Amino acid sequence: MRALLCALALLQGVGANAGANPNDAAIEAHVEGLLARMTVEEKVGQLAQVNADEGRMSDKLRAAVKAGMVGSVLNAVDVATVNELQRVAVQESRLGIPLLMGRDVIHGFKTVLPIPLGQAAAWNPELVEQGARMAALEAAASGVNWTFAPMIDVSRDPRWGRIAESFGEDPYLVSVLGVASIRGFQGDDLSRPDAIAACAKHFVGYGASEGGRDYGFVGIPEVDLRNVYMPPFKAAVDAGVATFMAAFSDVNGVPASGNRFLMQTVLRDEWKFPGFVVSDWESIIDMIVHGFAANEKEAAFEALSAGVDMEMASTTYRDHLAELLAAGRINQDTLDAAVRNVLRVKFRLGLFERTSTDPAAYPEVASEQNLALAKKLTTQSLVLLQNRNEVLPLARTSLRSLAVIGPMADDDYEQLGTWIYDGDTALSRTPLRAIREMVGPRVTVRYVRAMETTRSRTTTAFADAVAAASSSDAAVLFLGEESILSGEAHSRANIDLPGNQMDLVRAVKRAGKPVIVVILAGRPLTIEPILADADAVVYAWHPGSMAGPAIADILFGVESPSGKLPVTFPRVVGQLPIYYAQRNTGKPPLPDTLVHIDDIKVRTSQTGLKNKSWYLDAGYEPLYPFGYGLSYTSFVYSDIKATPSRARVGVPVTVRAVVKNVGKVAADEVVQLYVQDLVGSITRPVRELKGFQRVHLKPGESREVSFQLSADDLAFYGRNMTRATEPGAFHAWIGGSSRADLRADFELTAD
Ligand code: NOJ
């Protein structure tokens, strides 16, 4: 592949100097040379991102590009249109500056990978990187040179529809997978034709939208911004991400698009980010609606002054920056800094040397190889939540008949999930089709859709579903929620299985056969009510093009499940937000002090119950904890050690343990390391993920897994808002979930 891409670069005329990753000084010289020749209008033009309406190039867009009034176009993916846009920019505009062609390439392009939350459940950065690489190649073949991904918002509220696009609740997991994704999109040399610029979004705090309602207010103390929500973005800067996107959010009273603390103090002054920041869609004019700017001119002023370099979709920069400059409210340096940031990325991408795209020079789009990668990632993303009496895996040899039931069993669109603009449903292999292919003609497969959508309230087809289950050896139900129920602006206040799906499970259970429920969804759903009737539950997220073959492999034991939850599953929605890395509170609950609302006697006085941090009607435990997921085998952990157990701050500590496969089948296990810093200058989470490794073990095989903790790994922003590793006592756990109970202790000393 590498050789092919080098050949590609040569074929496309990438010159030795320009194509071979020109060094920073040379790029800066190019940027300054160009900047010196630009008029104010041309500078402002570079800061404008214009939507190609329905992917087309209107006369208006052509004229604007020709006049040098456009720096970037979004949503053009027809390669002829893209090439024509680039031709006009390069050959007909005065300075010949190429365009950034932006697109939401979120989880695949034509070949659709699992939604990012599903990818996170695989806990496999290598596969996430390969997936992003695959998507980059497919997109680049259409002329796309910039994706608005990865989304690295730490997301702790499944009501929020955009949790689907996230890597879940944990800053460490999100950081690792975000970096993997950036590497995949950008490759190791941004100037190669197979690289596309990535975008770390949405800076910052969008995942904490109040009440899980999209675009909601974000109130996060600075200490949590820095310790929880910012680390993935800092990791993205360190990984060389080319661009950032400002969040839609009002962060602590200042919308991100006008937030100087975020964009200037943190991103530029502290982190030295050299790329550019794009606003979100019309987020600059949204500042008027927020009540933060009086009009479009003031919105433009606030956004540029804060450090938002490019404006997506709205036109306040185009309409007002020249005037603000002339009035002396914005100075030349501020404008130039923004233009430099944009031009720098264009040079880094090698766009000046490579202005047209020949799809034939790229590897085949949606190839069998790409689909195989999608299948592998999907297989590892599937989480087995329950498996009573080991009803799974189904025995291929003895099974005679199977009922396949439900609205998500055979829907080539809904299995793809949110943000699949370019996804090709013709590539989708549905669970029903894959099961039929897997079992062949020897097994009778009885398919009953039972509900038109997951939201249907009718029960008329339930009798057919029950009949199919009665006459079969087992029933597999494909339930969940359609893709439209998650994603941007698709939050839900109630995250139960929609419609009459719970009744469908109950009805099918009455047939007396093993009931296996596979859930396809964009978020954790509150599935406790079906657990009594579902013998097994597999959580599949929205699995993408290869949903069927991956799910069939798990159902029939070709593969053992190995996905682990990247987000806590609540029992009821009222527990939200619920996440494993909570602070302890002063009155943490214990199981023996818990009282349930139904057990409280008449006229119990206030002092009759213990004062503990719980819900009288929902306890304090989630349904499933972060990091949880079952397998067809069992793993036993032993021999944990932390060495040295006492060390000076700065000396690395190694934590190791032995994991053994004590079951009957070979399987992967995701070994997880958690740490607690017992006393801090600010209170610390009860546990924090600090490392993980996916290992493959044969039956009876054991492996020692070790993790090294540097001072930096244990550092946090403390009371004085500086980042440090504080001396003191630590607990470390190694195991298969955030509930791991195998513990070793160590201590860090000041000298
Ligand atoms: C709005 C979304 O918030 C953002 O994530 C996306 O990249 C842009 N629209 C462009 O489609």
Side-chain angles (χ1 to χ4, degrees):
M1 169 70 83
R2 188 152 288 278
L4 170 74
L5 292 168
C6 290
L8 253 171
L10 290 174
L11 278 174
Q12 299 195 347
V14 180
N17 292 332
N21 197 10
N23 62 36
D24 291 352
I27 286 180
E28 293 310 313
H30 284 310
V31 169
E32 292 310 319
L34 204 45
L35 197 64
R37 295 165 56 208
M38 294 171 83
T39 63
V40 167
E41 287 69 26
E42 284 165 336
K43 288 178 180 175
V44 172
Q46 285 305 306
L47 309 186
Q49 184 178 54
V50 179
N51 188 34
D53 224 357
E54 292 175 17
R56 281 196 304 269
M57 180 175 187
S58 61
D59 291 346
K60 197 169 150 209
L61 180 55
R62 177 187 292 273
V65 172
K66 187 171 172 179
M69 297 291 104
V70 180
S72 170
V73 172
L74 78 158
N75 295 333
V77 284
D78 161 57
V79 75
T81 308
V82 173
N83 281 341
E84 177 59 4
L85 278 162
Q86 293 288 26
R87 192 196 63 74
V88 173
V90 173
Q91 294 178 15
E92 296 186 8
S93 76
R94 190 178 78 89
L95 293 171
I97 304 175
L99 298 163
L100 282 157
M101 303 300 308
R103 183 66 159 176
D104 288 286
V105 183
I106 307 296
H107 52 114
F109 192 69
K110 294 281 182 239
T111 309
V112 180
L113 302 165
I115 53 169
L117 193 60
Q119 293 186 38
W123 294 58
N124 189 333
E126 288 80 22
L127 281 189
V128 168
E129 180 173 341
Q130 287 170 28
R133 186 93 293 271
M134 178 211 85
L137 279 162
E138 290 194 355
S142 292
V144 171
N145 54 32
W146 179 21
T147 175
F148 306 121
M151 177 176 130
I152 47 176
D153 293 309
V154 169
S155 308
R156 294 179 163 178
D157 194 329
R159 291 172 297 184
W160 190 49
R162 301 199 77 169
I163 196 169
E165 297 170 55
S166 83
F167 292 126
E169 76 179 41
D170 183 69
Y172 177 79
L173 184 61
V174 175
S175 299
V176 171
L177 299 181
V179 167
S181 173
I182 290 162
R183 284 208 193 104
F185 286 126
Q186 298 194 167
D188 46 21
D189 178 354
L190 201 53
S191 71
R192 293 163 60 118
D194 61 326
I196 64 175
C199 182
K201 72 183 189 186
H202 307 82
F203 194 56
V204 67
Y206 190 20
S209 296
E210 205 169 64
R213 188 161 57 95
D214 208 3
Y215 316 123
F217 174 74
V218 165
I220 309 178
E222 184 179 340
V223 76
D224 282 0
L225 271 179
R226 289 187 178 275
N227 286 327
V228 178
Y229 294 91
M230 285 183 179
F233 290 92
K234 172 68 165 64
V237 173
D238 294 343
V241 73
T243 70
F244 258 53
M245 187 185 291
F248 280 126
S249 318
D250 169 351
V251 184
N252 296 331
V254 182
S257 294
N259 196 313
R260 296 178 198 199
F261 166 70
L262 298 180
M263 301 298 165
Q264 196 56 52
T265 309
V266 175
L267 186 57
R268 301 289 180 184
D269 300 346
E270 294 180 22
W271 298 353
K272 315 282 181 229
F273 174 58
F276 74 84
V277 179
V278 66
S279 76
D280 203 342
W281 185 276
E282 297 188 340
S283 66
I284 296 182
I285 48 172
D286 281 355
M287 289 198 287
I288 303 167
V289 190
H290 279 293
F292 183 73
N295 51 45
E296 294 199 5
K297 185 158 93 180
E298 294 308 313
F301 169 76
E302 294 293 350
L304 194 77
S305 306
V308 174
D309 303 304
M310 183 179 278
E311 179 171 20
M312 184 189 287
S314 52
T315 58
T316 70
Y317 282 9
R318 186 197 71 189
D319 299 340
H320 301 287
L321 286 190
E323 186 190 343
L324 286 164
L325 189 71
R329 292 193 55 208
I330 279 181
N331 64 36
Q332 192 68 48
D333 288 349
T334 308
L335 177 62
D336 285 357
V339 180
R340 265 191 204 101
N341 292 339
V342 173
L343 293 179
R344 187 178 298 122
V345 170
K346 292 189 174 186
F347 278 109
R348 283 185 67 205
L349 274 167
L351 297 187
F352 289 82
E353 286 78 28
R354 176 171 37 87
T355 53
S356 94
T357 301
D358 173 11
Y362 286 83
E364 189 193 342
V365 166
S367 62
E368 279 307 315
Q369 198 185 333
N370 290 0
L371 290 167
L373 174 63
K375 181 186 167 190
K376 194 167 175 191
L377 189 44
T378 305
T379 306
Q380 295 192 6
S381 76
L382 303 176
V383 187
L384 180 64
L385 294 176
Q386 172 156 291
N387 195 14
R388 250 193 330 255
N389 305 321
E390 299 192 353
V391 291
L392 285 179
L394 296 168
R396 256 186 300 174
T397 42
S398 53
L399 196 77
R400 289 281 162 266
S401 54
L402 186 68
V404 174
I405 297 166
M408 302 295 279
D410 192 30
D411 195 314
D412 59 8
Y413 177 78
E414 301 300 353
Q415 68 183 38
L416 299 182
T418 184
W419 286 116
I420 45 117
Y421 284 152
D422 304 289
D424 185 353
T425 50
L427 298 170
S428 290
R429 304 198 191 162
T430 67
L432 176 65
R433 180 178 148 192
I435 288 171
R436 285 203 162 118
E437 283 169 8
M438 166 91 54
V439 298
R442 209 181 39 77
V443 176
T444 307
V445 175
R446 300 188 176 91
Y447 168 55
V448 182
R449 187 175 175 112
M451 298 169 73
E452 195 190 341
T453 72
T454 65
R455 291 151 284 143
S456 303
R457 293 267 171 217
T458 144
T459 54
T460 43
F462 283 17
D464 295 344
V466 175
S470 303
S471 50
S472 300
D473 294 341
V476 187
L477 286 84
F478 289 89
L479 307 177
E481 53 176 21
E482 282 83 19
S483 53
I484 190 70
L485 299 189
S486 59
E488 185 177 345
H490 295 98
S491 296
R492 293 181 59 199
N494 175 343
I495 53 170
D496 287 342
L497 280 166
N500 276 350
Q501 294 183 90
M502 285 192 270
D503 293 337
L504 178 61
V505 179
R506 274 180 214 122
V508 171
K509 180 65 183 172
R510 285 198 286 275
K513 299 296 171 62
V515 172
I516 296 130
V517 176
V518 181
I519 295 175
L520 286 78
R523 56 161 66 79
L525 296 172
T526 39
I527 55 168
E528 192 172 32
I530 66 161
L531 294 184
D533 295 322
D535 298 294
V537 178
V538 175
Y539 219 82
W541 319 100
H542 282 135
S545 305
M546 294 300 278
I551 291 170
D553 275 5
I554 294 294
L555 293 180
F556 290 95
V558 178
E559 299 275 351
S560 177
S562 59
K564 301 275 187 172
L565 297 178
V567 58
T568 304
F569 272 46
R571 292 182 50 223
V572 293
V573 79
Q575 291 179 309
L576 296 175
I578 186 167
Y579 49 92
Y580 82 95
Q582 293 177 353
R583 263 78 153 227
N584 207 22
T585 81
K587 303 189 191 320
L590 288 170
D592 59 344
T593 55
L594 195 60
V595 177
H596 190 265
I597 197 165
D598 295 341
D599 302 327
I600 300 173
K601 300 201 173 48
V602 182
R603 295 187 165 230
T604 300
S605 78
Q606 181 67 36
T607 52
L609 300 182
K610 293 254 182 340
N611 287 345
K612 296 289 176 189
S613 179
W614 60 36
Y615 297 102
L616 288 174
D617 48 358
Y620 60 94
E621 296 280 19
L623 186 59
Y624 296 112
F626 176 82
Y628 172 85
L630 301 172
S631 165
Y632 292 155
T633 191
S634 306
F635 297 98
V636 169
Y637 288 81
S638 65
D639 302 307
I640 190 166
K641 265 194 233 61
T643 46
S645 58
R646 193 159 193 276
R648 226 171 359 91
V649 170
V651 174
V653 173
T654 300
V655 188
R656 52 168 63 88
V658 174
V659 53
K660 181 170 185 186
N661 181 347
V662 296
K664 292 196 183 64
V665 296
D668 280 11
E669 165 73 330
V670 178
V671 179
Q672 301 159 42
L673 168 73
Y674 294 88
V675 166
Q676 182 184 18
D677 184 348
L678 296 189
V679 181
S681 64
I682 57 157
T683 56
R684 309 291 299 126
V686 291
R687 284 186 187 204
E688 290 177 285
L689 181 71
K690 291 290 177 187
F692 61 90
Q693 285 177 40
R694 183 176 261 272
V695 296
H696 184 79
L697 294 174
K698 297 202 216 40
E701 191 182 350
S702 57
R703 173 103 36 96
E704 185 180 80
V705 179
S706 72
F707 301 90
Q708 201 179 61
L709 290 168
S710 68
D712 193 59
D713 294 328
L714 299 169
F716 63 95
Y717 286 88
R719 205 177 301 179
N720 58 6
M721 216 54 76
T722 53
R723 193 162 182 276
T725 309
E726 298 182 358
F730 292 79
H731 290 334
W733 295 264
I734 291 182
S737 84
S738 59
R739 289 286 165 75
D741 53 10
L742 187 69
R743 194 182 99 195
D745 298 345
F746 63 94
E747 188 186 344
L748 294 182
T749 59
D751 44 42

